Amino acid sequence: RPMNSLPDVKAAEKIVYLTVQDINHKWSERKLRGFASAYQQLQAMFKERYEI
């Protein structure tokens, strides 16, 4: 969002922090192509480690 001025450095830091938080949230929900098959193979390889 465009802004003409910021009252102080804290306001700029807050904008940067909130923007980074938003980007991190979006990236954490991304699905990677081909990961489903790799996930199944990893589960098979480490079955004894992750067995509940």
Side-chain angles (χ1 to χ4, degrees):
R1 207 173 84 192
M3 296 184 170
N4 293 334
S5 64
L6 299 170
D8 58 7
V9 174
K10 285 280 192 193
E13 289 175 350
K14 184 175 181 179
I15 290 170
V16 171
Y17 173 78
L18 292 173
T19 302
V20 169
Q21 291 292 70
D22 185 47
I23 292 169
N24 282 339
H25 178 73
K26 288 177 183 176
W27 272 86
S28 70
E29 294 177 344
R30 286 185 65 164
K31 299 206 186 307
L32 301 175
R33 268 184 280 173
F35 185 73
S37 62
Y39 178 74
Q40 291 170 353
Q41 291 173 358
L42 288 169
Q43 274 190 319
M45 287 171 55
F46 299 107
K47 183 177 181 180
E48 66 277 351
R49 180 180 287 184
Y50 296 111
E51 201 168 284
I52 293 175

